[in-house]
Structures are given as structure tokens and as C-alpha cells.
Amino acid sequence: LSLWLTLLATWMLTRRFCASPALALLAALPALLFTFRWTNLLGGSPMGFAMMWVPLLFWGIDSALFQRQWRGALLAALAIICMRWGDTHVFFFSVIALPAWCLFLLLVNRRQFGDLLRHGPAILLRLALPILTAGILVIAGQIQKSTQLADTTIGGGRAWREIALYSPRLSGLWSWPAQGVDAQIFLGYALILF
């Protein structure tokens, strides 16, 4: 279900930028070919399932801002909340990617951006309200979780040495026999051939 929803959401996203539905589907297929996704999904990691929210978040932001659709704003808000509940890493990296995504959308929709500004901040606020509400809920949940964990051994965070110990090496991108965390970032021959 997660893979099919990912393909559907990625197709909806690529459809926005492709004239042909078939070409958009071809552009969406790499979302299913990442070895990293399969490793996490079949390995039991919540990250494998939570990654389906990423294209839904990006499509929702585009739909809310440049098509002025409430469903896009609501879907982006739902994606933010579900991402945070599903996997912290997916949530963290998706939120970090949002400014770059919004900048990309502004560049692609330069003509619409002026029209969007002319319609006034009230429309932007109305469209952004569900997303801002989701952000506030996530922040409130994080504050509550942090206060509960403050007195535990993980309250102080992780040391750089510990982070390095559990981080993949760059060679894992291309090395078929990579082991452990290095294997998690392997791109796979199918994606390279595609």
C-alpha cells in the first residue's frame, strides 16, 4: 500500500510539471526503485512507510500555493503530522527540504507568483492555516516529548563520534557488497540503468 500510494503521489506531483500523463508516470517510477526505500520497508523500519508522505507534502504545498486548493493545504498538513508520527528522520529531512522546494516552485511559477501576491495575504494565510496548525501541533508534541526525555540518558542528544559510528560512508552509494549502514544508501543497479 505504501509503495502504490508513493507512486500515485509522485505521479500527481510529476503530472503538474509534465504535459503527458505517461511521461509523468515514467518520471514517477524512480520513487519505487530506490534500494534505500526497499531496505527500510522490508527491514521493518517505520521510515519505509513514512516516506510515502514526502511526495504528498510537496504536492500539497504546490497545490495550496499555486492552484489555491484547500485539499492541497489539508493534505500537506496531514502529511506533516503523519510524517512526524511515522518517522522522525523522514519528517526532519522533509522539513529541511521545504525551503528549497518552495524556491523551486517560485521559479517555476514566476507568472503566478505575482498574481498570488496581488490577491493579498488573506488568501495565503487561509491556505497556509492548515499547514501552520499542523506545524504548531508538531512543535507542541516535540516540546512535550523533550520534557519527558530531559532526565533520561538520551536527554543530552548524541555525541559527534556516536553519529559518525552509525552513519554510512559515501562508498555505500556505489558498492554492491556494502554491509550494515553503508548498504542502506546503495542506489542499486536498477535505478542507475533506469
Side-chain angles (χ1 to χ4, degrees):
L1 180 64
S2 169
L3 290 168
W4 289 117
L5 285 174
T6 301
L7 182 62
L8 174 64
T10 309
W11 177 77
M12 288 167 34
L13 184 62
T14 55
R15 181 75 179 96
R16 176 83 165 82
F17 304 100
C18 293
S20 161
L23 187 60
L25 181 61
L26 189 63
L29 279 176
L32 299 183
L33 296 177
F34 282 111
T35 311
F36 179 75
R37 174 72 185 276
W38 287 90
T39 302
N40 283 287
L41 192 63
L42 299 176
S45 170
M47 184 182 287
F49 181 76
M51 288 174 74
M52 77 173 202
W53 298 107
V54 177
L56 286 170
L57 172 65
F58 288 177
W59 180 83
I61 297 280
D62 177 47
S63 178
L65 286 178
F66 294 101
Q67 297 170 22
R68 284 182 243 142
Q69 295 180 355
W70 263 92
R71 67 181 178 155
L74 290 174
L75 194 57
L78 177 69
I80 287 171
I81 291 171
C82 290
M83 237 186 265
R84 179 61 186 93
W85 284 341
D87 187 79
T88 308
H89 295 95
V90 173
F91 169 76
F92 177 73
F93 289 113
S94 297
V95 169
I96 284 178
L98 275 182
W101 176 247
C102 289
L103 181 62
F104 169 76
L105 290 176
L106 290 175
L107 291 172
V108 169
N109 300 291
R110 287 186 298 277
R111 293 184 182 116
Q112 281 183 298
F113 182 65
D115 186 45
L116 190 64
L117 288 177
R118 276 192 296 279
H119 282 40
I123 291 175
L124 281 175
L125 184 62
R126 194 176 73 215
L127 291 171
L129 194 60
I131 299 167
L132 293 173
T133 303
I136 290 168
L137 287 172
V138 165
I139 290 169
Q142 187 61 37
I143 290 170
Q144 189 241 355
K145 182 179 177 182
S146 296
T147 55
Q148 289 176 343
L149 296 175
D151 297 331
T152 66
T153 56
I154 61 171
R158 297 183 186 268
W160 283 108
R161 184 179 169 144
E162 187 179 5
I163 292 169
L165 186 63
Y166 293 102
S167 296
R169 291 173 297 201
L170 192 59
S171 62
L173 284 170
W174 317 112
S175 176
W176 174 258
Q179 299 293 317
V181 292
D182 291 347
Q184 291 182 355
I185 63 169
F186 177 62
L187 288 176
Y189 295 127
L191 182 64
I192 293 168
L193 287 173
F194 183 78

